Amino acid sequence: MPVPPPAGPRRRPPLSDVAVSLTGAVFLLAGVAGLLPGPAAAALAVAGGSALACVRLAWLAGGALPAAPSDLTPNVPPTVDARTTESPARSAGTGPPEHRHAASPARPAVHRHAASPGVPPERRDGTAPGVTTGRQARRVALSRRVAAILDAAVLVAGLTVAVLPLSDPAHRLPIALTGLCLTTPLYVTALLRLPGRSRMSGPELVRRGVDVLALGVSLVFAGWMLLPGGPVRAVAGIAASGGAVLLAVLVVAALAERRRRPGAAGCHAGAALTLGGLTLLVVLLAYDAPERALPVVAAPLLAGALLTVAGLRRAWAGERPGRDLAPAAWPRLTAPAGIAALAAGVHLCAVGEFSTGAMALGLAVIPPIMAGELLAAADQRRRVQRLAAREAWLRRRLGPDARAAEPAPLTRADLVRAMAQRSGGALLVVDLHGEGVAVPEGPVLTEVARRLRAGAETRDLVVRLGDTEYAILTDLGPVLAYALGTRLLAALTEPYPRPCGAARVRVSVGLAETSGGEPEDVLRQADLARRRAVQLGRDRVEWYDAYLEEQLVRRLDLERELPGAVARGELDLVYQPVVALAERVPVGTEALLRWRSPTLGTVLPAELLPVATDLDLVGEIGRWVVDRACRQLAAWSEGGRELWMAVNVTPRELAAPDFVARTATALAAYDVSPERLVVEVAEPGVSAELSTVVARLAGLRSIGVRTALDDFRAEHASLAQLRRLPIDLLKVGPHLVGPGGDGQRPLIDVVANLADRLGVELVVEELESEGQVAGARRAGCRYGQGFALARPATAERVEAWFEEFPSAAR
């Protein structure tokens, strides 16, 4: 099966096309505004585009089309066969004449250049690139005829509009009808002869016909609703109905071919625009529309001419689609229904009621839509059954060995095709992460595949996307799909028995609804959800939503910008005072980290630190914080204020072997007394490395630095752990200050009594009301911190606030 080449960069339209389009837009606006007569404005707007398109099509019809098989047969890429490759001497023509020209009488001599650099390889039929076979000659002749027919179609359409200002108003409607009747068969004849058109199967023909019927009826209904009130003029009714049906055929064909044959799809779209513009012209003239309305037909005619040329050039000269691409999906239900509903709404606002015929025509839109949905569902069932049968056949053929446990030789393209046929359900992307090894081993992956098949539903499609990545396509709704992801997560995280000991893997699962867009978009969404599951610690299931994508993009931005932030001077500290509750005077401050990113704005520690941990930047950032805090303490000491300052460290940072030594060095560098520095560590992260944390805190106290335990939860385990930690300050939240349940005393009293026995001072954080401040004082807490007392601010503003307390800590 030929493999399509990678998609190249999107080509910009030629400058001539842009210039013609802008010129046409100027004439169109001038006509609508009344600066030019309507027919003249329409003719001038269309003239440039039609002339340019006709010249290009004439070049193609006159021989500019490529004759190389790589262009005329885009699905057969040139190949090099080692068995037919000549030696360099023979291919270059430097060998003996008998070697260069020897050939059997029945076959003409050919020159093979596959081995020569820069020379195209020999064709598959044995002819050299310069030799044209009879079949290729016929294809070239046919391509030129198609270009000539399209040239005639564009020319007739352009002349139809060009002669309007030169003709009597009474003759304009017959001219427009003649142009429409001549252009239509020319376009149909050319489109039927475009290359690459394949025979459709019976079900495909039925499905295409139903799609055309649904869209055609909705367009006819829309035209009926948008025609002026009163009796429908025969010419306008016939032209509008026929144009709507033809437009439906062309639009459905363009949408169906836009992946496999994008050039042909462009030609179909160009024909739809051109014929739609001529039909609109007929309707306007039939109803004696004002001349200022005629320029509106210029836009579809101009776009149709340019799009026809672009589509033909791509179809014959540069289009190399792959046959294995899934047919393009389009909104079979919402497009016809939306067109009909929009037209009905406009008619209701303008007229206020529906006639019996209009209601009957509107109801006629429903049956083909429902038939299309039923056919799509039946096709989806057939596709799933074929894939399941293929998988079963492969499993039988491979036998009971390890390969039989793998999901079936199904590819990403198979998954995309299956998704394109589904109207609902979900996609799960499962990624595995080994513990102790880079990736899970082969036997583990075999068992993973078996567990996936065992946990999935019978009709689910399981596909292996990579070495450790799998996809499961299911018909289940959101709730049941999430339950499926949870079951698979539980099954895959169970130990995997091995001769050398059980292995474990960590699993990240991302989910996305298949109704969220095109198959590739759904795959991207599910993968984004999987990446979010990885970021949040693995062994979890994450649903995709727009907010998740925003979070992921934000996370990627943080990961890109954070390295080098210290060197660029983007980090900053703000300070929140700690107040003695009895005297209401400041006794210390807490240094709070801020990242002032020029790109991302101000980033707080809750968002910054997880990224810094993953990038292994916590140590670098922590050293900067301690250094800056000690420098600020030294600056305040010059003013005679003996305040203490707390800095927050993570357990990982505290566990560094040189942490105590580095802290002592920073204190000595700025000549700061050790007891004025407080090192805080959050209680939730202590348990994992309790022994190391205890050792480092003891080391800090040995050099005179005070220590604090932050975010104390006051649970049973926390109270027991508190006895082991060498700390001087205990920081608790305001929730402990409230009244106890069932008339019991507040929990803060229990904590205060324990802290008093251990010789630890209490600091109540996040005090945001005077009631909380009073509750903390009643409980015997000595220090408080929060918005009710003082907000975080820069060093200068905090120092100015200190001036309100002249005798405090001097």
Side-chain angles (χ1 to χ4, degrees), residues 74 182 208 247 251 258 283 380 433 463 544 587 591 650 731:
L182 290 176
R208 180 74 65 86
L247 185 63
V251 169
R258 74 180 188 269
V283 173
Q380 175 185 335
H433 318 274
V463 178
Y544 169 83
V587 295
T650 65
K731 305 186 75 170

Side-chain angles (χ1 to χ4, degrees), residues 191-236:
L191 295 177
L192 291 176
R193 296 190 177 192
L194 285 173
R197 187 168 61 92
S198 58
R199 293 180 179 272
M200 290 186 291
S201 63
E204 290 176 332
L205 284 172
V206 173
R207 189 165 55 253
R208 180 74 65 86
V210 171
D211 291 342
V212 169
L213 182 61
L215 185 59
V217 173
S218 67
L219 290 174
V220 171
F221 175 73
W224 185 286
M225 292 293 97
L226 298 178
L227 289 177
V232 178
R233 301 189 180 183
V235 173

Side-chain angles (χ1 to χ4, degrees), residues 59-98:
W59 284 348
L60 297 176
L65 284 170
S70 59
D71 291 328
L72 293 179
T73 55
N75 291 326
V76 184
T79 58
V80 179
D81 192 340
R83 295 172 297 177
T84 60
T85 302
E86 301 283 348
S87 66
R90 295 176 64 184
S91 62
T94 57
E98 62 274 14

Side-chain angles (χ1 to χ4, degrees), residues 93-419:
T94 57
E98 62 274 14
H99 288 173
R100 284 185 280 131
H101 301 287
S104 62
R107 182 175 179 181
V110 294
H111 299 281
R112 298 179 178 178
H113 303 282
S116 300
V119 181
E122 179 185 7
R123 294 174 178 164
R124 288 194 173 191
D125 60 0
T127 61
V131 180
T132 302
T133 65
R135 181 180 179 184
Q136 292 158 0
R138 289 192 296 272
R139 292 179 66 91
V140 172
L142 176 61
S143 68
R144 293 174 180 171
R145 285 197 295 272
V146 170
I149 296 171
L150 288 176
D151 190 16
V154 173
L155 178 62
V156 171
L159 288 177
T160 301
V161 181
V163 299
L164 289 180
L166 306 178
S167 58
D168 187 82
H171 298 153
R172 289 173 181 171
L173 178 58
I175 292 173
L177 278 172
T178 303
L180 177 61
C181 293
L182 290 176
T183 306
T184 300
L186 288 172
Y187 259 119
V188 171
T189 302
L191 295 177
L192 291 176
R193 296 190 177 192
L194 285 173
R197 187 168 61 92
S198 58
R199 293 180 179 272
M200 290 186 291
S201 63
E204 290 176 332
L205 284 172
V206 173
R207 189 165 55 253
R208 180 74 65 86
V210 171
D211 291 342
V212 169
L213 182 61
L215 185 59
V217 173
S218 67
L219 290 174
V220 171
F221 175 73
W224 185 286
M225 292 293 97
L226 298 178
L227 289 177
V232 178
R233 301 189 180 183
V235 173
I238 294 173
S241 300
V245 174
L246 186 59
L247 185 63
V249 173
L250 294 173
V251 169
V252 170
L255 291 171
E257 297 284 3
R258 74 180 188 269
R259 286 183 183 168
R260 195 179 68 86
R261 294 196 303 158
C267 291
H268 282 84
L273 289 169
T274 303
L275 298 178
L278 291 177
T279 302
L280 179 60
L281 178 62
V282 170
V283 173
L284 291 176
L285 294 174
Y287 277 92
D288 297 325
E291 289 190 346
R292 291 177 62 175
L294 295 182
V296 299
V297 305
L301 289 172
L302 176 60
L306 297 178
L307 192 56
T308 298
V309 178
L312 183 67
R313 288 172 66 90
R314 182 169 185 181
W316 287 103
E319 180 173 80
R320 299 192 180 195
R323 296 180 186 269
D324 60 340
L325 289 178
W330 69 286
R332 292 184 173 90
L333 175 64
T334 55
I339 292 172
L342 181 61
V346 173
H347 178 82
L348 188 62
C349 294
V351 180
E353 60 181 2
F354 294 99
S355 64
T356 304
M359 288 190 291
L361 188 58
L363 293 175
V365 178
I366 299 176
I369 291 178
M370 299 305 299
E373 290 300 303
L374 292 175
L375 288 174
D379 187 73
Q380 175 185 335
R381 287 195 299 270
R382 285 194 300 269
R383 178 67 184 169
V384 172
Q385 291 170 358
R386 286 196 300 269
L387 290 174
R390 180 183 176 188
E391 181 179 353
W393 178 82
L394 288 170
R395 291 168 69 89
R396 287 194 303 269
R397 182 169 182 178
L398 292 174
D401 59 3
R403 293 174 296 176
E406 288 285 342
L410 297 181
T411 65
R412 183 187 181 97
D414 291 321
L415 178 64
V416 170
R417 275 194 292 267
M419 292 170 62

Side-chain angles (χ1 to χ4, degrees), residues 444 447 450-451 490-498 501-505:
V444 173
E447 178 62 15
R450 189 197 65 78
R451 294 183 187 183
L492 295 176
T493 51
E494 287 292 322
Y496 294 82
R498 294 185 306 173
R504 293 181 180 272
V505 298

Side-chain angles (χ1 to χ4, degrees), residues 255-622:
L255 291 171
E257 297 284 3
R258 74 180 188 269
R259 286 183 183 168
R260 195 179 68 86
R261 294 196 303 158
C267 291
H268 282 84
L273 289 169
T274 303
L275 298 178
L278 291 177
T279 302
L280 179 60
L281 178 62
V282 170
V283 173
L284 291 176
L285 294 174
Y287 277 92
D288 297 325
E291 289 190 346
R292 291 177 62 175
L294 295 182
V296 299
V297 305
L301 289 172
L302 176 60
L306 297 178
L307 192 56
T308 298
V309 178
L312 183 67
R313 288 172 66 90
R314 182 169 185 181
W316 287 103
E319 180 173 80
R320 299 192 180 195
R323 296 180 186 269
D324 60 340
L325 289 178
W330 69 286
R332 292 184 173 90
L333 175 64
T334 55
I339 292 172
L342 181 61
V346 173
H347 178 82
L348 188 62
C349 294
V351 180
E353 60 181 2
F354 294 99
S355 64
T356 304
M359 288 190 291
L361 188 58
L363 293 175
V365 178
I366 299 176
I369 291 178
M370 299 305 299
E373 290 300 303
L374 292 175
L375 288 174
D379 187 73
Q380 175 185 335
R381 287 195 299 270
R382 285 194 300 269
R383 178 67 184 169
V384 172
Q385 291 170 358
R386 286 196 300 269
L387 290 174
R390 180 183 176 188
E391 181 179 353
W393 178 82
L394 288 170
R395 291 168 69 89
R396 287 194 303 269
R397 182 169 182 178
L398 292 174
D401 59 3
R403 293 174 296 176
E406 288 285 342
L410 297 181
T411 65
R412 183 187 181 97
D414 291 321
L415 178 64
V416 170
R417 275 194 292 267
M419 292 170 62
Q421 303 299 326
R422 302 214 176 191
S423 57
L427 177 69
L428 295 83
V429 173
V430 180
D431 196 13
L432 309 176
H433 318 274
E435 287 193 352
V437 292
V439 294
E441 301 171 348
V444 173
L445 292 178
T446 301
E447 178 62 15
V448 164
R450 189 197 65 78
R451 294 183 187 183
L452 282 174
R453 287 303 319 166
E457 300 289 332
T458 304
R459 290 169 50 83
D460 292 347
L461 181 65
V462 181
V463 178
R464 186 171 181 180
L465 298 178
D467 290 339
T468 61
E469 191 172 4
Y470 299 83
I472 299 95
L473 184 61
T474 179
D475 292 328
L476 299 175
V479 176
L480 295 180
Y482 187 85
L484 172 62
T486 304
R487 292 199 307 272
L488 293 176
L489 179 66
L492 295 176
T493 51
E494 287 292 322
Y496 294 82
R498 294 185 306 173
C500 57
R504 293 181 180 272
V505 298
R506 305 192 69 184
V507 182
S508 303
V509 182
L511 280 85
E513 293 186 71
T514 54
S515 58
E518 295 287 334
E520 291 293 344
D521 293 333
V522 176
L523 268 170
R524 180 187 61 83
Q525 293 169 359
D527 191 61
L528 287 176
R530 175 199 63 80
R531 295 176 65 177
R532 184 61 177 169
V534 173
Q535 288 182 350
L536 295 178
R538 303 187 176 99
D539 291 343
R540 60 190 298 130
V541 182
E542 286 293 321
W543 265 107
Y544 169 83
D545 57 30
Y547 178 64
L548 179 147
E549 186 164 4
E550 292 176 3
Q551 287 180 309
L552 184 60
V553 172
R554 172 74 172 179
R555 173 68 180 240
L556 294 176
D557 291 340
L558 291 170
E559 292 178 352
R560 182 187 66 249
E561 298 293 333
L562 184 56
V566 175
R568 296 191 298 268
E570 296 175 1
L571 297 188
D572 189 19
L573 290 181
V574 296
Y575 306 91
Q576 185 171 26
V578 180
V579 176
L581 295 179
E583 300 84 4
R584 283 293 189 102
V585 295
V587 295
T589 61
E590 179 181 2
L592 303 175
L593 178 63
R594 300 290 186 267
W595 175 21
R596 315 290 188 186
S597 170
T599 304
L600 306 174
T602 299
V603 183
L604 301 179
E607 190 178 22
L608 185 157
L609 291 179
V611 179
T613 301
D614 288 346
L615 298 179
D616 199 23
L617 296 174
V618 173
E620 178 186 4
I621 295 174

